[in-house]
Amino acid sequence: MSASEITQSLDLTASDLAANFVASLSSMVMPGEVLKAARLRIIDTVGVAVAGSALPALQALAVSLARDDGAGQLWGSGRTAVPAQAAMFNAAASHGEDFDDTHTGAVVHGSACVVPAAWAAAEERDLTIGDLLRGVIAGWEVAARVGMASGGGFHRRGLHTTSVAGAFGAAAAVCAVWDLDARQTRNALGISGSTAGGLNAYLEDGSQGKLMNPGFAAQGGYLAALAATAGLSGPGRVFEGRHGLFEALGDGPEGVLEEFDDLGGRWEIREVSTKPYPFCHFAHATVDAVLEIRGSGLDVQSIDEVKCRLPAPTFDLLCRPWDAKQSPSTPYSVRFSLPWLVALALVDGEITRASFASGLLSRHDVGRLAQQVSVEKWGHSPFPDTYPGSVLIKSSSGIAEAEQLTNRGHPTAPLDGTTIRAKFVDCVAVGDSQRAAHLYDVLSSSSSTTRVRDLSRHMRASLTTGPR
Amino acid sequence: MSASEITQSLDLTASDLAANFVASLSSMVMPGEVLKAARLRIIDTVGVAVAGSALPALQALAVSLARDDGAGQLWGSGRTAVPAQAAMFNAAASHGEDFDDTHTGAVVHGSACVVPAAWAAAEERDLTIGDLLRGVIAGWEVAARVGMASGGGFHRRGLHTTSVAGAFGAAAAVCAVWDLDARQTRNALGISGSTAGGLNAYLEDGSQGKLMNPGFAAQGGYLAALAATAGLSGPGRVFEGRHGLFEALGDGPEGVLEEFDDLGGRWEIREVSTKPYPFCHFAHATVDAVLEIRGSGLDVQSIDEVKCRLPAPTFDLLCRPWDAKQSPSTPYSVRFSLPWLVALALVDGEITRASFASGLLSRHDVGRLAQQVSVEKWGHSPFPDTYPGSVLIKSSSGIAEAEQLTNRGHPTAPLDGTTIRAKFVDCVAVGDSQRAAHLYDVLSSSSSTTRVRDLSRHMRASLTTGPR
């Protein structure tokens, strides 16, 4: 009998498996590598969220949500709100520059949903980094599996896999932080089904609504856990069945149980890729391949043609509709435009956060070169295990080719500590990189018994000098 | 050229049409019948919400959400919360006894989502009943059209049409109360797409998660409007297109534009049915048909067989799985069980709120009779224009038949004023029906310049004597 056959014979549902795992975490000794991965996810998420929170609309939203007596810090704003709305804000901010991490196999930006929810839960009850870490691990294990079980089905329907899976991840995270029992956790996962969704309609016009997908997922998961704590019951078969998640929003529930069967055996949080670039993850390896060719002496002025090869499931985000991708309407939408990102890398030799400043769209050098770019389908690529990229450039000096099978920052090609620290400091520093570096050290070295509220106070103190 | 052809030639989207309509409401003189319908929707919703808020889990949730300085009243609890969470709580409470109204053609419990969102929006800015009425009208016009445009498609996917449509209704309601302009309203509707969802997974086990579907819709709509007010942009084509609502969650966007083309011409809020019974709307006419036969001298002891005929789309809620419907697991799930509701009506000669007390499941007289009930598909019924019911009862004294083509409370068979008032008083009275009657009078007769916060104070004062 296989593990999943045993599970089926016990008549356990996928949410039973998830709830039992989440509820058992507080009595489990977690592998050091898993705790280390969770700590990295927290630091990286705080960094990109503080960067994202500078968006004017988010700063205005922070004012609307602010409560003097709120327990939830709105990262990067110096304000507080009720915890669920702090989770919402921080999740939206985490996704603000599209600089947050991704589980490639699941195609889920899990940290954007999970970390803010777990943080708010820990703040609300004045809990510790140890509790926060447990929540982040629980949330990631659940969110990654929901995304993997979908096999791209949510995305094919027109939905943001991140927010669909993230609602359950956020609920699991809060349940773990609060150490709810398995019954309550199962109810919370069931109630989360009411919040699972998030359209990809922003793809057509690059509107900011995208940020609210993880925002609402984080908030929904938090409130589902709160409702379960209050005693509300949720459907036991939220993943399976005629009206379950995968039937309603995906391609059907086949294989869900198997995906949940090795919780605690395989740790998906270790499989998360940290982004070195603030744009769509699917374009990272392509840009690195472009930079490799450029670095070997290419004359950018003499380029005739740039041919990229990408896995077909990435086309929706980077290449459709092609006309709109060649003429992006906002600097934000350049983050999701293959031709512009490739042209930007070729002209500047690098892409950083500063590349997306408001003058970007008037750069005719980049716009012109973007017209030379084309893309074709990569038949048998390693996607989604990794997000590969492959480029062929024709210029007056001949043909050059480069292929990156693995996105840099993938667990098999991890960023080094210096790069991660520099990313954090660049994201958080508002005129004072020393304070940012100090905050990095506090976040990365605090003992697990440190209270999350103390971390929040550190953050607020580190960010008060800037124009925020 | 038809109206919709003109619309298409102007390249307007469905959310353009909705936003233009909502933004124009404050300068429009609304028909008296429309204002009257909106007032009735508010009163009926407050009544059923106060009744629903007595659920222990909701009372516990109210404690968790409570903020001394929150502008949003949690109806029936005497507590306040931040406005969006008050909208969530009140929406969940509105659906607590399944006693809230329905637009039959759209199959949408719109008031549960729209009224709490509009109320919270008016409280937050200290606005008037006139503003509240405008919001409720805007919300209903949008929610009904989203539901109608789905043609049952959301439900077939496994989703709660009420919460999918309700998220947009709630956003429209808040935008109208706050008198946002068309651009902001369009952004709010676009952002609402991130919150649209709500699984019907509760159908399998009758769990309370169902309540949170309108709860999250009301909250999501409120926060979408708040985010739009802060300047966040949302997708302009949230209903149409490859990643739009109807493609992602329904059968496709065909006909959406036509459904939105007569906003302001046809008033859907006038087409809402008020429930006389606290259970699934689809069963109302069946129960009335049963009571008609019983009233003509049937000997209940001698019944051999009760055959019901129902439109097929109602089977999911009332008849599937049949085994579970014949053996409901909680008094709550009896509200969605055709055989038990029919048996209850036959044995008691009436069904009231009190019928669903905790002893219900141990009533073997009802349980036995439920075994005699069967159901068959009604081929060409007036559903969904009305929710019809038809019954044939075989007993030792022969065969009796009755058919109700229209659910009582439908706009074509409206409840009279006395019945509506009695329903309100029964829902709200906690040992003091005089105070409840007074609250009814205040809600129904206050001038449109009365502040909603004053109504909230009246409600709190009316409800402080009971055990709440």
Side-chain angles (χ1 to χ4, degrees), chain A residues 97-99 210 275-292 294 300 303 306 308 310 314-315 317-319 322 324-328 330-357 360-361 363 365-375 391 393:
Chain A
E97 294 194 347
D98 231 79
F99 208 179
K210 184 188 195 208
K275 277 187 174 182
Y277 294 125
F279 54 75
C280 181
H281 224 148
F282 293 154
H284 282 210
T286 304
V287 164
D288 273 337
V290 162
L291 292 176
E292 182 186 325
R294 189 184 187 277
V300 174
I303 290 175
V306 183
C308 306
L310 277 179
T314 69
F315 278 37
L317 266 79
L318 284 173
C319 309
W322 187 251
K325 296 300 181 184
Q326 285 203 316
S327 308
T330 62
Y332 177 70
S333 58
V334 173
R335 298 180 201 264
F336 303 90
S337 159
L338 184 77
W340 265 70
L341 289 168
V342 165
L344 194 57
L346 282 167
V347 173
D348 291 358
E350 63 170 8
I351 305 183
T352 67
R353 292 181 54 230
S355 306
F356 298 92
L360 176 57
L361 296 183
R363 292 194 50 188
D365 49 350
V366 177
R368 253 193 318 272
L369 193 52
Q371 300 294 322
Q372 317 286 101
V373 177
S374 65
V375 64
V391 177
I393 299 181

Side-chain angles (χ1 to χ4, degrees), chain A residues 18 51 69 84 107 175 186 219 257 291 299 346 354 378 422 434 438 440 442 447:
Chain A
D69 63 346
V107 198
C175 291
R186 197 180 80 141
Q219 174 184 251
L257 212 52
L291 292 176
D299 174 12
L346 282 167
W378 189 336
Q434 260 195 318
H438 178 62
Y440 178 89
V442 169
S447 124

Side-chain angles (χ1 to χ4, degrees), chain B residues 63-414:
Chain B
V63 174
S64 300
L65 299 175
R67 315 288 304 177
D68 288 340
D69 63 347
Q73 192 197 183
L74 306 175
W75 299 337
S77 85
R79 292 188 165 83
T80 57
V82 296
Q85 295 185 349
M88 177 188 80
F89 178 88
N90 294 334
S94 300
H95 212 47
E97 293 194 346
D98 231 80
F99 207 1
D100 53 313
D101 59 32
T102 315
H103 185 293
T104 59
V107 198
V108 165
H109 296 291
S111 289
C113 307
V114 163
V115 174
W119 189 291
E123 278 181 325
E124 201 263 334
R125 308 249 170 126
D126 197 12
L127 300 172
T128 67
I129 292 186
D131 301 310
L132 173 63
L133 289 167
R134 187 173 67 242
V136 171
I137 293 163
W140 251 120
E141 295 310 311
V142 170
R145 278 168 176 81
V146 174
M148 291 162 80
S150 81
F154 301 141
H155 181 79
R156 280 189 291 279
R157 290 295 306 173
L159 292 159
H160 198 168
T161 309
T162 289
S163 50
V164 177
F168 299 96
V174 175
C175 291
V177 171
W178 289 347
D179 201 14
L180 302 188
D181 65 26
R183 188 185 51 80
Q184 289 171 313
T185 303
R186 197 179 82 139
N187 283 328
L189 292 171
I191 296 166
S192 286
S194 296
T195 76
L199 301 178
N200 273 342
Y202 66 86
L203 282 176
E204 288 192 38
D205 57 10
S207 54
Q208 296 166 310
K210 184 187 195 207
L211 312 183
M212 296 306 280
N213 283 341
F216 286 122
Q219 175 185 251
Y222 186 100
L223 289 170
L226 195 74
T229 308
L232 212 75
S233 61
R237 283 161 54 82
V238 68
F239 295 119
E240 305 94 338
R242 151 88 181 87
H243 301 91
L245 179 77
F246 290 90
E247 200 63 62
L249 305 185
D251 294 342
E254 291 74 26
V256 174
L257 212 53
E258 287 77 0
E259 204 63 69
F260 278 77
D261 228 7
D262 63 352
L263 278 159
R266 195 180 75 208
W267 295 91
E268 293 301 335
I269 195 170
R270 296 185 60 186
E271 305 302 321
V272 179
S273 291
T274 311
K275 277 188 175 181
Y277 295 125
F279 53 77
C280 181
H281 224 147
F282 293 153
H284 282 209
T286 304
V287 164
D288 274 337
V290 163
L291 292 177
E292 183 186 324
I293 296 175
R294 190 183 186 277
S296 59
L298 175 78
D299 174 12
V300 174
Q301 299 302 322
S302 74
I303 292 175
D304 292 319
E305 195 179 354
V306 183
K307 292 173 76 167
C308 306
R309 203 159 49 116
L310 278 178
T314 70
F315 279 37
D316 262 350
L317 265 79
L318 284 173
C319 310
R320 284 189 183 134
W322 187 251
D323 286 354
K325 295 301 181 185
Q326 286 204 315
S327 309
S329 56
T330 61
Y332 177 70
S333 58
V334 173
R335 298 179 201 266
F336 303 91
S337 159
L338 184 76
W340 265 70
L341 290 168
V342 165
L344 195 56
L346 282 168
V347 174
D348 291 358
E350 62 170 9
I351 304 184
T352 68
R353 293 180 57 229
S355 306
F356 297 91
S358 58
L360 177 57
L361 295 183
S362 53
R363 291 194 51 187
H364 298 298
D365 49 351
V366 177
R368 252 193 318 271
L369 193 52
Q371 300 294 321
Q372 317 286 100
V373 178
S374 65
V375 64
E376 60 184 33
K377 194 179 146 191
W378 189 338
H380 293 281
S381 83
F383 181 91
D385 289 337
T386 64
Y387 295 163
S390 170
V391 177
L392 180 153
I393 299 182
K394 289 188 194 169
S395 68
S396 54
S397 51
I399 292 179
E401 286 185 79
E403 185 174 273
Q404 298 263 348
L405 286 175
T406 303
N407 52 294
R408 203 156 42 92
H410 188 274
T412 59

Side-chain angles (χ1 to χ4, degrees), chain A residues 58 60-75 77 79-94 112-113 116-121 123-124 174 178 211-212 214-224 226, chain B residues 64-65 67 69-72 74 81-89 120 124 178 215-216 218-227:
Chain A
L58 286 184
L61 187 60
V63 174
S64 300
L65 299 175
R67 318 287 305 176
D68 287 340
D69 63 346
Q73 192 196 184
L74 305 175
W75 298 338
S77 85
R79 292 187 166 83
T80 57
V82 296
Q85 295 185 350
M88 178 188 80
F89 177 89
N90 294 335
S94 299
C113 307
W119 189 291
E123 278 181 324
E124 201 263 333
V174 176
W178 290 347
L211 311 184
M212 296 306 278
F216 286 123
Q219 174 184 251
Y222 186 100
L223 289 170
L226 196 72
Chain B
S64 300
L65 299 175
R67 315 288 304 177
D69 63 347
L74 306 175
V82 296
Q85 295 185 349
M88 177 188 80
F89 178 88
E124 201 263 334
W178 289 347
F216 286 122
Q219 175 185 251
Y222 186 100
L223 289 170
L226 195 74

Side-chain angles (χ1 to χ4, degrees), chain A residues 45-422:
Chain A
T45 305
V46 166
V48 299
V50 170
S53 75
L55 280 170
L58 286 184
Q59 289 289 305
L61 187 60
V63 174
S64 300
L65 299 175
R67 318 287 305 176
D68 287 340
D69 63 346
Q73 192 196 184
L74 305 175
W75 298 338
S77 85
R79 292 187 166 83
T80 57
V82 296
Q85 295 185 350
M88 178 188 80
F89 177 89
N90 294 335
S94 299
H95 213 48
E97 294 194 347
D98 231 79
F99 208 179
D100 53 314
D101 60 31
T102 315
H103 186 292
T104 58
V107 198
V108 164
H109 296 290
S111 288
C113 307
V114 163
V115 174
W119 189 291
E123 278 181 324
E124 201 263 333
R125 308 249 170 125
D126 196 12
L127 299 172
T128 66
I129 293 185
D131 301 310
L132 173 63
L133 290 167
R134 189 174 64 243
V136 171
I137 293 163
W140 251 118
E141 295 309 311
V142 169
R145 278 168 177 82
V146 174
M148 290 162 81
S150 81
F154 302 141
H155 181 80
R156 280 189 293 278
R157 290 295 305 176
L159 293 160
H160 199 170
T161 308
T162 288
S163 49
V164 177
F168 298 95
V174 176
C175 291
V177 171
W178 290 347
D179 201 14
L180 301 188
D181 65 25
R183 189 185 51 79
Q184 290 171 313
T185 304
R186 197 180 80 141
N187 283 328
L189 293 170
I191 296 166
S192 287
S194 297
T195 76
L199 301 178
N200 273 343
Y202 65 87
L203 282 175
E204 288 191 39
D205 57 11
S207 55
Q208 295 167 312
K210 184 188 195 208
L211 311 184
M212 296 306 278
N213 282 341
F216 286 123
Q219 174 184 251
Y222 186 100
L223 289 170
L226 196 72
T229 308
L232 212 75
S233 61
R237 282 159 56 82
V238 68
F239 296 118
E240 306 93 339
R242 151 89 181 86
H243 303 90
L245 179 76
F246 290 91
E247 200 64 61
L249 305 184
D251 295 340
E254 290 74 28
V256 173
L257 212 52
E258 288 74 3
E259 204 62 69
F260 279 76
D261 228 8
D262 64 351
L263 278 158
R266 196 181 74 209
W267 295 92
E268 293 301 335
I269 196 169
R270 297 186 59 186
E271 304 303 320
V272 179
S273 290
T274 311
K275 277 187 174 182
Y277 294 125
F279 54 75
C280 181
H281 224 148
F282 293 154
H284 282 210
T286 304
V287 164
D288 273 337
V290 162
L291 292 176
E292 182 186 325
I293 296 174
R294 189 184 187 277
S296 59
L298 175 78
D299 174 12
V300 174
Q301 300 301 321
S302 74
I303 290 175
D304 293 317
E305 195 179 354
V306 183
K307 293 172 75 165
C308 306
R309 202 160 49 115
L310 277 179
T314 69
F315 278 37
D316 262 349
L317 266 79
L318 284 173
C319 309
R320 283 185 185 140
W322 187 251
D323 286 355
K325 296 300 181 184
Q326 285 203 316
S327 308
S329 56
T330 62
Y332 177 70
S333 58
V334 173
R335 298 180 201 264
F336 303 90
S337 159
L338 184 77
W340 265 70
L341 289 168
V342 165
L344 194 57
L346 282 167
V347 173
D348 291 358
E350 63 170 8
I351 305 183
T352 67
R353 292 181 54 230
S355 306
F356 298 92
S358 57
L360 176 57
L361 296 183
S362 54
R363 292 194 50 188
H364 298 297
D365 49 350
V366 177
R368 253 193 318 272
L369 193 52
Q371 300 294 322
Q372 317 286 101
V373 177
S374 65
V375 64
E376 61 184 33
K377 193 178 145 191
W378 189 336
H380 294 280
S381 84
F383 181 90
D385 288 338
T386 64
Y387 295 163
S390 170
V391 177
L392 180 153
I393 299 181
K394 289 186 193 171
S395 68
S396 55
S397 51
I399 292 179
E401 286 186 80
E403 185 174 273
Q404 297 263 348
L405 286 176
T406 303
N407 53 295
R408 204 157 39 93
H410 188 274
T412 59
L415 304 182
D416 61 41
T418 312
T419 306
I420 289 169
R421 192 172 198 263

